[in-house]
Amino acid sequence: MKIVFANERPEGAYALALPVWGDGALADRLSGLDEPNRSLALRAAEAQRFERDAASIAETFVTDGDTVRRLLLVGLGTRRDDETLLDRVGGNLTGRLLKSGETRLVIDIAGLGLEDSKAARLAFAAAARTWRYDLYRTKLSAKAKPTLEEVVIVGAGAGVDAEWEHMAALLAGVSFARELVTEPANIIYPVSFVERCRAAMEGLGVEFEVLDEARMQELGMGALLGVSLGSAQPPRLLAMRWNGAGNAEQKPVVLIGKGVTFDTGGISIKPAAGMEAMKWDMGGAGAVAGAMKTLAERKAKANVVGICGLVENMPDGKAQRPGDVVTSMSGQTIEVINTDAEGRLVLCDALTWAQREYKPEVVVDLATLTGAMLISLGFEYAGLFANDDGLAEQLLAAGKKTGDKLWRFPVGEAYDKLIDSPIADMKNVGPREAGSITAASFIARFVEPGVKWAHLDIAGMVWANKSGPLWDKGATGYGVALLDRFVADNFET
Ligand code: BES
Ligand code: MN
Ligand code: ZN
């Protein structure tokens, strides 16, 4: 989607959107229309019971000289402090118009008193909502094809270009994460995941380090490698480093993503129904890769390392078995009770490597870790687990601001002892109850003393079965905006 900021409404054909505050007068927003059209618009709004509720839309057609123009009246509600209002406004508009036949949408915000950051966010939402991946559709009918190409925002302040630079970088990162998540597992597997990341970040100054199977063996990553045993696809550990702080000594924030490019469950195989969803079991890694792209594109003034643990979990004659004991890079041993609890086995070795390599003070991991997460929080919040209240607060705040919402869960000794094993240091699953918490407890056993750590279980957030304010059905890009905001608010100098 092409985004343009302008001072005046353009010439030519376009659909016109006029936002109006819930406590403002609709008539005041209709400047530029002649009297008959103004009264038509007011009557059309009333007929549609348009009450200027947040992100509600009333639609009509008016004449402008000898052309007919689609007019969209958009409610803003009354809450000026609603952080995600413009997401819904922009997203509803372009979601509605994407295949409408309109090619250009003009949103006139002049006189509404919106800050430049809000205007940029409106543009971001308008663009993000129309993201789609049509690569594999060879038979889309003309009517099913998108028509909308350009959004013009009229009347933003002089600071909007700088704000848009940030949001354009965010859009690029979110789009990249969605692409990785959307691609099927025959296209995106550990090696090709790394290649996609290289291509997406070429020339941006991100340093890549890639560990192959032999290197991981030398390092003793028995937990990660155990998951990979059944797969014909070799595993990778990818580290993307962005040094933007201007001070190479500044310890980096480390982000770690679960990148299981397909999760069959392994020998503890999953039921067939719905298994195709497990192509997005690399959504944590996708969010980390997307965030790195955003941070590099906008030249964030912080040192950040994004690490992706990339494996495929398959059943095979060579696959690991329930009951196998593996030794992690930390030296701790793990009894693999269930080969489908593989994410934590990947994360623990990635986490140990990251701590030894970068000596970070702060580590955040993201993972589609447990189905139990969907049972507890559904599709509204990701679960947050942390060993530090300050870090938890920073992440919760970033979630509120961006709309990538988080809800904190407890961790602690009582849960931790549920994963003690009679044969090894721990087992990879606890009882059925509190499955998301015992999964977090497992990862916590690999956090080194003094490190502030948070784990985000994003199992319910990566993929949407229905459209939302910023996405169509499918990949959401959850986590990219969250991580970007978390870095911007807490680590940039
Ligand atoms: N990738 C799954 C978690 C998942 C399931 C995410 C459904 C989204 C939707 C993970 O690897 C897994 O299989 N977890 C098991 C753990 C269990 C064996 C303790 C689960 O949640 O069933
Ligand atoms: Mn699994
Ligand atoms: Zn998994």
Side-chain angles (χ1 to χ4, degrees), residues 258 263-265 270 278 281 313 339-343 369:
K258 169 180 172 182
D263 181 13
T264 63
K270 289 181 180 295
M278 285 299 111
D281 207 19
N313 188 22
T339 66
D340 196 11
E342 84 298 338
L369 204 62

PDB file of all heavy atoms in Angstrom, residues 258 263-265 270 278 281 313 339-343 369, ligand 2:
ATOM      1  N   LYS A 258      11.140 -19.220  19.439  1.00  0.00           N
ATOM      2  CA  LYS A 258      10.956 -20.633  19.095  1.00  0.00           C
ATOM      3  C   LYS A 258      10.683 -20.722  17.599  1.00  0.00           C
ATOM      4  O   LYS A 258       9.711 -20.157  17.103  1.00  0.00           O
ATOM      5  CB  LYS A 258       9.780 -21.225  19.883  1.00  0.00           C
ATOM      6  CG  LYS A 258       9.343 -22.618  19.379  1.00  0.00           C
ATOM      7  CD  LYS A 258       8.173 -23.196  20.177  1.00  0.00           C
ATOM      8  CE  LYS A 258       7.631 -24.477  19.539  1.00  0.00           C
ATOM      9  NZ  LYS A 258       6.461 -25.043  20.259  1.00  0.00           N
ATOM     10  N   ASP A 263       5.657 -28.696  13.486  1.00  0.00           N
ATOM     11  CA  ASP A 263       5.565 -29.516  14.692  1.00  0.00           C
ATOM     12  C   ASP A 263       4.516 -30.612  14.517  1.00  0.00           C
ATOM     13  O   ASP A 263       3.321 -30.376  14.701  1.00  0.00           O
ATOM     14  CB  ASP A 263       5.214 -28.618  15.896  1.00  0.00           C
ATOM     15  CG  ASP A 263       5.119 -29.408  17.198  1.00  0.00           C
ATOM     16  OD1 ASP A 263       5.559 -30.577  17.217  1.00  0.00           O
ATOM     17  OD2 ASP A 263       4.622 -28.837  18.194  1.00  0.00           O
ATOM     18  N   THR A 264       4.979 -31.791  14.144  1.00  0.00           N
ATOM     19  CA  THR A 264       4.051 -32.936  14.059  1.00  0.00           C
ATOM     20  C   THR A 264       3.789 -33.522  15.441  1.00  0.00           C
ATOM     21  O   THR A 264       2.892 -34.346  15.601  1.00  0.00           O
ATOM     22  CB  THR A 264       4.652 -34.081  13.221  1.00  0.00           C
ATOM     23  OG1 THR A 264       5.839 -34.559  13.885  1.00  0.00           O
ATOM     24  CG2 THR A 264       5.005 -33.634  11.814  1.00  0.00           C
ATOM     25  N   GLY A 265       4.616 -33.135  16.410  1.00  0.00           N
ATOM     26  CA  GLY A 265       4.599 -33.778  17.717  1.00  0.00           C
ATOM     27  C   GLY A 265       5.718 -34.798  17.835  1.00  0.00           C
ATOM     28  O   GLY A 265       6.070 -35.225  18.923  1.00  0.00           O
ATOM     29  N   LYS A 270       0.801 -35.709  16.949  1.00  0.00           N
ATOM     30  CA  LYS A 270      -0.445 -34.966  17.109  1.00  0.00           C
ATOM     31  C   LYS A 270      -1.543 -35.609  16.271  1.00  0.00           C
ATOM     32  O   LYS A 270      -1.256 -36.267  15.273  1.00  0.00           O
ATOM     33  CB  LYS A 270      -0.251 -33.525  16.610  1.00  0.00           C
ATOM     34  CG  LYS A 270       0.616 -32.662  17.488  1.00  0.00           C
ATOM     35  CD  LYS A 270       0.726 -31.261  16.909  1.00  0.00           C
ATOM     36  CE  LYS A 270       1.596 -30.367  17.793  1.00  0.00           C
ATOM     37  NZ  LYS A 270       1.035 -30.119  19.126  1.00  0.00           N
ATOM     38  N   MET A 278       0.384 -26.257  12.483  1.00  0.00           N
ATOM     39  CA  MET A 278       1.721 -26.284  13.096  1.00  0.00           C
ATOM     40  C   MET A 278       2.839 -25.812  12.167  1.00  0.00           C
ATOM     41  O   MET A 278       4.007 -25.814  12.521  1.00  0.00           O
ATOM     42  CB  MET A 278       2.011 -27.657  13.690  1.00  0.00           C
ATOM     43  CG  MET A 278       1.245 -27.894  14.986  1.00  0.00           C
ATOM     44  SD  MET A 278       1.682 -26.698  16.288  1.00  0.00           S
ATOM     45  CE  MET A 278       0.192 -25.728  16.432  1.00  0.00           C
ATOM     46  N   ASP A 281       4.363 -22.838  13.982  1.00  0.00           N
ATOM     47  CA  ASP A 281       5.021 -23.053  15.270  1.00  0.00           C
ATOM     48  C   ASP A 281       6.394 -22.364  15.335  1.00  0.00           C
ATOM     49  O   ASP A 281       7.141 -22.542  16.290  1.00  0.00           O
ATOM     50  CB  ASP A 281       5.138 -24.561  15.537  1.00  0.00           C
ATOM     51  CG  ASP A 281       5.171 -24.893  17.019  1.00  0.00           C
ATOM     52  OD1 ASP A 281       4.755 -24.043  17.824  1.00  0.00           O
ATOM     53  OD2 ASP A 281       5.612 -26.004  17.359  1.00  0.00           O
ATOM     54  N   ASN A 313      10.128 -30.783  13.855  1.00  0.00           N
ATOM     55  CA  ASN A 313       9.829 -31.893  14.769  1.00  0.00           C
ATOM     56  C   ASN A 313       9.036 -32.973  14.034  1.00  0.00           C
ATOM     57  O   ASN A 313       7.852 -32.804  13.772  1.00  0.00           O
ATOM     58  CB  ASN A 313       9.037 -31.353  15.971  1.00  0.00           C
ATOM     59  CG  ASN A 313       8.851 -32.379  17.079  1.00  0.00           C
ATOM     60  OD1 ASN A 313       9.616 -33.351  17.173  1.00  0.00           O
ATOM     61  ND2 ASN A 313       7.850 -32.167  17.919  1.00  0.00           N
ATOM     62  N   THR A 339       7.486 -36.132  23.235  1.00  0.00           N
ATOM     63  CA  THR A 339       8.291 -35.473  22.183  1.00  0.00           C
ATOM     64  C   THR A 339       7.574 -34.268  21.590  1.00  0.00           C
ATOM     65  O   THR A 339       8.165 -33.509  20.821  1.00  0.00           O
ATOM     66  CB  THR A 339       8.662 -36.457  21.051  1.00  0.00           C
ATOM     67  OG1 THR A 339       7.459 -36.863  20.371  1.00  0.00           O
ATOM     68  CG2 THR A 339       9.395 -37.675  21.582  1.00  0.00           C
ATOM     69  N   ASP A 340       6.285 -34.113  21.944  1.00  0.00           N
ATOM     70  CA  ASP A 340       5.535 -32.952  21.460  1.00  0.00           C
ATOM     71  C   ASP A 340       5.792 -31.714  22.324  1.00  0.00           C
ATOM     72  O   ASP A 340       5.424 -30.606  21.944  1.00  0.00           O
ATOM     73  CB  ASP A 340       4.044 -33.296  21.433  1.00  0.00           C
ATOM     74  CG  ASP A 340       3.231 -32.331  20.597  1.00  0.00           C
ATOM     75  OD1 ASP A 340       3.849 -31.519  19.868  1.00  0.00           O
ATOM     76  OD2 ASP A 340       1.992 -32.387  20.658  1.00  0.00           O
ATOM     77  N   ALA A 341       6.406 -31.882  23.449  1.00  0.00           N
ATOM     78  CA  ALA A 341       6.791 -30.711  24.259  1.00  0.00           C
ATOM     79  C   ALA A 341       8.207 -30.328  23.845  1.00  0.00           C
ATOM     80  O   ALA A 341       9.159 -30.363  24.632  1.00  0.00           O
ATOM     81  CB  ALA A 341       6.697 -31.027  25.745  1.00  0.00           C
ATOM     82  N   GLU A 342       8.355 -29.975  22.553  1.00  0.00           N
ATOM     83  CA  GLU A 342       9.674 -29.786  21.944  1.00  0.00           C
ATOM     84  C   GLU A 342      10.161 -28.347  22.017  1.00  0.00           C
ATOM     85  O   GLU A 342      11.366 -28.093  21.977  1.00  0.00           O
ATOM     86  CB  GLU A 342       9.655 -30.257  20.480  1.00  0.00           C
ATOM     87  CG  GLU A 342       9.152 -29.241  19.441  1.00  0.00           C
ATOM     88  CD  GLU A 342       7.705 -28.829  19.651  1.00  0.00           C
ATOM     89  OE1 GLU A 342       6.959 -29.582  20.298  1.00  0.00           O
ATOM     90  OE2 GLU A 342       7.308 -27.740  19.175  1.00  0.00           O
ATOM     91  N   GLY A 343       9.226 -27.405  22.112  1.00  0.00           N
ATOM     92  CA  GLY A 343       9.627 -25.993  22.064  1.00  0.00           C
ATOM     93  C   GLY A 343      10.590 -25.648  23.175  1.00  0.00           C
ATOM     94  O   GLY A 343      11.612 -24.985  22.975  1.00  0.00           O
ATOM     95  N   LEU A 369       4.240 -21.918  22.656  1.00  0.00           N
ATOM     96  CA  LEU A 369       4.750 -23.026  23.465  1.00  0.00           C
ATOM     97  C   LEU A 369       3.699 -24.040  23.891  1.00  0.00           C
ATOM     98  O   LEU A 369       3.974 -25.234  23.892  1.00  0.00           O
ATOM     99  CB  LEU A 369       5.469 -22.470  24.697  1.00  0.00           C
ATOM    100  CG  LEU A 369       6.506 -23.417  25.298  1.00  0.00           C
ATOM    101  CD1 LEU A 369       7.629 -23.703  24.301  1.00  0.00           C
ATOM    102  CD2 LEU A 369       7.091 -22.853  26.577  1.00  0.00           C
TER     103      LEU A 369
HETATM  104 MN    MN B   2       4.767 -29.734  20.117  1.00  0.00          MN
END
